[in-house]
Amino acid sequence: MNSLLEEIKSYKNQFKQNAPAEKQRLMAQATQELRDSGIASGLTVGDQAPMFELPQADGTAVDLKTLLENGPVIVTFYRGGWCPYCNLELRAYQRELAMIQKKGATLVAISPETPDYSLSTKEKNELDFYVLSDVGNNVARQFDLVFDMPDYLIDIYKASGLNVDAHNGNEDWQLPKPATFIIQSDGTISFSDVPSDYTERIDPKTVIEKL
């Protein structure tokens, strides 16, 4: 079984071979602009995590405060089930779920997608952990992860049939950076990874080591 980072490298190589050069240039430009902007840099180690309650795909609420009573919580924010890198990452977490649970931790994945789309993501990737809907990015905003997609990137996504607005149930075309946090039982963040490049993800095995 390949590691997440190997799978991402393979997908990137396919994209470079197949995607039009102008599309690649503009997508790289958007990533660089986001990195240079300094916005949405994310909460960091030592910060107190915002306590949140969000619905699962079936509508039942999950409360971070309650989860923390059982031990540390890994919270990973992903862009949506339409994002190939996010799907690779979610499946990699599923492969490591037993080890996460063995260490006494709980895993939670959050996206701005509506519960219906969250359910599709959960079923498609056969995920046995919490997949939560943060419609409007309210929780992601509290973690300082949210940015506006530039108009030219929105045009690329639409041309590719990626209607993020439909997935998110609104017209704002805002996304969270894909970010991963470990939150200790007292609510303190002990690990934070907030890449500006959505193709960069931390391997779940590394996150487990940080537990």
Side-chain angles (χ1 to χ4, degrees):
M1 180 65 74
N2 286 340
S3 72
L4 172 61
L5 301 188
E6 288 167 339
E7 290 175 339
I8 285 176
K9 188 178 177 185
S10 171
Y11 186 85
K12 274 186 182 175
N13 288 337
Q14 284 178 350
F15 182 75
K16 280 176 184 164
Q17 286 167 8
N18 299 326
E22 179 65 0
K23 179 178 181 179
Q24 293 189 46
R25 186 188 72 77
L26 288 171
M27 290 176 83
Q29 177 184 321
T31 296
Q32 191 59 49
E33 285 173 358
L34 179 58
R35 187 182 282 123
D36 293 344
S37 73
I39 63 166
S41 56
L43 297 183
T44 190
V45 173
D47 288 341
Q48 282 294 116
M51 292 298 123
F52 60 79
E53 183 179 291
L54 288 172
Q56 295 189 78
D58 65 2
T60 56
V62 172
D63 174 14
L64 177 62
K65 195 172 177 186
T66 304
L67 296 181
L68 289 170
E69 291 170 4
N70 299 315
V73 176
I74 299 170
V75 176
T76 185
F77 287 86
Y78 69 101
R79 290 148 33 103
W82 49 267
C83 168
Y85 296 95
C86 298
N87 288 315
L88 289 174
E89 181 183 39
L90 292 169
R91 288 198 291 270
Y93 270 109
Q94 178 62 34
R95 293 198 295 268
E96 302 298 333
L97 185 58
M99 183 55 72
I100 290 168
Q101 292 168 340
K102 191 176 173 185
K103 291 217 168 197
T106 305
L107 175 62
V108 172
I110 299 174
S111 84
E113 293 191 306
T114 64
D116 279 353
Y117 279 107
S118 294
L119 181 61
S120 300
T121 300
K122 187 171 171 121
E123 290 177 344
K124 174 177 68 179
N125 293 307
E126 298 179 349
L127 307 177
D128 296 321
F129 50 86
Y130 294 114
V131 179
L132 308 183
S133 286
D134 179 27
V135 175
N137 277 305
N138 295 319
V139 172
R141 199 166 281 108
Q142 292 175 336
F143 278 83
D144 188 25
L145 302 174
V146 181
F147 64 95
D148 292 298
M149 291 176 66
D151 288 342
Y152 66 84
L153 191 60
I154 293 172
D155 290 341
I156 290 172
Y157 275 43
K158 283 180 174 174
S160 304
L162 287 178
N163 295 311
V164 175
D165 50 349
H167 281 253
N168 293 358
N170 57 40
E171 301 292 320
D172 61 19
W173 286 83
Q174 290 181 331
L175 289 176
K177 286 183 178 177
T180 304
F181 303 92
I182 296 174
I183 304 168
Q184 297 298 330
S185 294
D186 64 355
T188 306
I189 294 172
S190 63
F191 174 80
S192 166
D193 180 67
V194 187
S196 292
D197 182 346
Y198 67 90
T199 70
E200 291 175 6
R201 305 296 166 102
I202 188 160
D203 196 295
K205 286 186 169 73
T206 305
V207 178
I208 290 169
E209 285 166 16
K210 303 287 183 187
L211 275 170

